Amino acid sequence: MQRWHNKVAVVSGASAGIGAACARALVGAGLVVVGLARRHQRIEQMRLQLPLAEQNRLHALRCDITSESQVLDAFEWTQRELGGVHVLVSNAGIMAASTELSGATNTQGIRDTIDTNIMGTVYCIREAFQSMRRRETEEGHVIIVNSVAGQQVPNLGPLLPSLNIYPASKFALRAMQEIYRQEFQRHKTRVRVSTISPGIVDTDILPEQLQGIIKQQMPMLSCKDVADAILWTIGTPSNVQVRLFDGQCLAFNTWMNSQRLL
């Protein structure tokens, strides 16, 4: 991780859960972190809880990633104040609660999920990549936080709430990761892209109807487990492309090519 010391990382959805754990881990690894969230006050509170020597490495920006203009403003601030982005952790995501994909009057919940999980990812990765490619001699890394629900649709049975559009949004991220890899290579950049697809993680993204049952019946990953996997992925040599890091135990598949990958 030494080569990333004092480099700039942007983390979306950094106010809680996996995003907050990633922000803390990246700051601890010596990076300067810009945390994006609608609840940016939580990031500021987290900053004040860091060791004094690390507090100036974390910046909190209010940003709703479903708003393209807010994403543009956040990355413009990062470029102007910090010189641009080296690492992006595209983490923000939601799951529509209490609705079915075939349910009546489900439009708002479904649209919110698509706007956050897919379009918010598109906006953030686009702006991060444009910042990264300006520095042709430096490497960059995009991390997409996905889910095992993007590998196989869970069958929760008739007694638990429907996952509605959530798995479809995660399957989309899986396809997008491969398109990004191809595009980054096409432009002959040194930007890598990796997907982290954990199993069930102890966060507040789960609907309340699921939280009590799952916490009692199934082992869960901690947010720190996922952040550790992300640090490992970023820390791999620049000639190694980690395409997928997945599973309840975060088993991984690594693709390496002796030729220049990116």
Side-chain angles (χ1 to χ4, degrees):
M1 291 296 293
Q2 184 61 36
R3 72 185 193 277
W4 295 110
H5 191 72
N6 288 330
K7 303 298 185 181
V8 177
V10 172
V11 180
S12 67
S15 62
I18 293 172
C22 288
R24 286 190 293 266
L26 289 165
V27 167
L31 284 83
V32 176
V33 176
V34 179
L36 308 182
R38 290 175 295 182
R39 302 173 296 183
H40 66 293
Q41 300 92 337
R42 291 191 176 191
I43 304 174
E44 181 61 26
Q45 292 170 1
M46 179 171 60
R47 185 185 71 82
L48 296 175
Q49 294 170 1
L50 294 172
L52 190 61
E54 296 180 354
Q55 290 184 10
N56 66 344
R57 292 183 175 275
L58 180 59
H59 303 270
L61 292 186
R62 185 184 185 281
C63 181
D64 179 352
I65 66 165
T66 67
S67 168
E68 184 177 10
S69 63
Q70 290 189 33
V71 173
L72 289 172
D73 288 345
F75 279 89
E76 286 175 3
W77 182 92
T78 304
Q79 186 71 41
R80 182 177 66 253
E81 300 295 330
L82 302 175
V85 184
H86 300 88
V87 173
L88 171 69
V89 179
S90 182
N91 161 75
I94 63 171
M95 181 188 301
S98 304
T99 191
E100 295 183 347
L101 194 56
S102 57
T105 65
N106 65 359
T107 302
Q108 193 59 56
I110 299 300
R111 187 183 300 278
D112 289 346
T113 302
I114 292 172
D115 286 346
T116 303
N117 297 4
I118 299 178
M119 294 310 301
T121 299
V122 169
Y123 301 148
C124 288
I125 294 180
R126 181 190 68 200
E127 296 308 309
F129 177 64
Q130 294 306 315
S131 177
M132 292 172 186
R133 71 182 298 193
R134 293 189 188 105
R135 297 181 303 275
E136 296 180 356
T137 60
E138 295 187 55
E139 65 175 307
H141 207 142
V142 172
I143 302 290
I144 301 172
V145 179
N146 202 325
S147 166
V148 291
Q151 314 294 323
Q152 180 176 346
V153 179
N155 184 353
L156 301 183
L159 300 181
L160 293 177
S162 169
L163 295 177
N164 51 78
I165 201 72
Y166 180 79
S169 73
K170 295 301 182 177
F171 267 79
L173 293 184
R174 180 181 172 189
M176 288 161 59
Q177 188 262 348
E178 175 58 17
I179 294 297
Y180 286 128
R181 187 194 67 80
Q182 294 175 15
E183 291 181 353
F184 296 174
Q185 184 180 43
R186 176 183 302 155
H187 292 290
K188 301 186 184 304
T189 71
R190 299 186 63 209
V191 181
R192 298 181 291 167
V193 57
S194 304
T195 293
I196 308 295
S197 295
I200 298 174
V201 183
D202 189 6
T203 72
D204 59 5
I205 192 174
L206 293 173
E208 291 183 5
Q209 304 98 308
L210 287 176
Q211 285 189 18
I213 297 172
I214 288 178
K215 288 184 178 182
Q216 293 176 14
Q217 302 296 328
M218 296 183 66
M220 303 176 75
L221 294 165
S222 71
C223 296
K224 183 180 182 301
D225 292 332
V226 182
D228 287 345
I230 289 172
L231 282 186
W232 180 89
T233 302
I234 295 170
T236 54
S238 60
N239 66 319
V240 176
Q241 172 86 18
V242 180
R243 296 180 66 182
L244 175 64
F245 205 147
D246 73 347
Q248 185 72 17
C249 298
L250 289 175
F252 63 91
N253 299 309
T254 303
W255 176 73
M256 295 186 293
N257 192 321
S258 60
Q259 300 177 354
R260 185 178 180 184
L261 301 179
L262 303 166

